[in-house]
């Protein structure tokens, strides 16, 4: 499985760092939605679903967490712990987010508005969807 991890160029100076993300530039889709998770309860796993169409970029803007990506054939765990690093998650990819540090803020840039119809929440259904 090809893992696409972006390293965003911070605009750093003696005041600190700033990362700017624009659709179709640093981010390979039009950004229709942004959401973020924080105050995540210790030991929990979030996600556990795939999307039919949605593409996303996950950025752990503070703290750290791990992302499991599963295309139905192969599973890969990607650690995220840098605020200028983004993990691309394609459509039809099962994902789980876990191992959140207490101070973790996981921000997600999404290519579509929230649509429950786009979710595949059952793993067996996901495997059927990808033809496995
Ligand atoms: P949920 O899908 O359970 O989050 P995760 O995949 O990270 O475990 O979403 C939690 C709640 O937030 C659920 O009630 C749906 C709502 N929600 C929105 O209203 N808009 C959104 O963009 C997202 C991602 C979730």
């Amino acid at each position: 499985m090809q893992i696409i991890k972006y390293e965003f160029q911070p605009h750093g100076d003696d005041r600190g760092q700033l990362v700017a993300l624009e659709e179709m530039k640093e981010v390979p889709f039009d950004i229709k939605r942004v959401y973020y998770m924080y105050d995540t309860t210790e030991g929990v796993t979030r996600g556990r679903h795939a999307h039919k169409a949605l593409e996303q970029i996950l950025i752990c803007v503070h703290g750290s967490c791990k992302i499991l990506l599963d295309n139905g054939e192969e599973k890969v765990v990607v650690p995220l712990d840098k605020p200028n690093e983004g993990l691309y998650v394609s459509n039809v990819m099962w994902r789980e987010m876990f191992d959140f540090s207490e101070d973790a803020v996981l921000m997600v840039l999404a290519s579509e508005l929230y649509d429950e119809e786009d979710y595949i929440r059952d793993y067996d259904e996901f495997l059927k969807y990808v033809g496995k």
Side-chain angles (χ1 to χ4, degrees), residues 51-74:
H51 287 279
K52 294 170 194 164
L54 185 74
E55 297 171 79
Q56 298 183 313
I57 287 194
L58 275 54
I59 305 168
C60 197
V61 290
H62 196 253
S64 63
C65 65
K66 293 196 178 86
I67 314 296
L68 172 116
L69 296 180
D70 176 353
N71 63 6
E73 268 185 352
E74 210 184 326

Side-chain angles (χ1 to χ4, degrees), residues 33 35 37 45-49 97 114 116 119 121:
R33 177 166 54 113
Y35 63 93
M37 283 154 255
T45 297
R46 300 200 60 131
R48 291 189 199 272
H49 60 251
M97 297 86 100
Y114 181 73
E116 190 53 43
Y119 278 76
R121 292 194 181 274

Side-chain angles (χ1 to χ4, degrees), residues 16-83:
Q17 304 296 330
L18 183 154
V19 171
L21 304 174
E22 293 190 11
E23 57 191 21
M24 303 311 292
K25 285 190 185 167
E26 292 81 5
V27 174
F29 49 75
D30 289 337
I31 302 165
K32 289 221 180 113
R33 177 166 54 113
V34 176
Y35 63 93
Y36 47 93
M37 283 154 255
Y38 62 99
D39 272 356
T40 307
T41 309
E42 197 186 342
V44 293
T45 297
R46 300 200 60 131
R48 291 189 199 272
H49 60 251
H51 287 279
K52 294 170 194 164
L54 185 74
E55 297 171 79
Q56 298 183 313
I57 287 194
L58 275 54
I59 305 168
C60 197
V61 290
H62 196 253
S64 63
C65 65
K66 293 196 178 86
I67 314 296
L68 172 116
L69 296 180
D70 176 353
N71 63 6
E73 268 185 352
E74 210 184 326
K75 296 179 209 267
V76 180
V77 172
V78 183
L80 285 182
D81 57 9
K82 293 183 191 73

Side-chain angles (χ1 to χ4, degrees), residues 52 65 85 88 91 96 132:
K52 294 170 194 164
C65 65
E85 202 170 71
Y88 174 73
N91 61 334
E96 300 184 3
K132 302 292 165 221

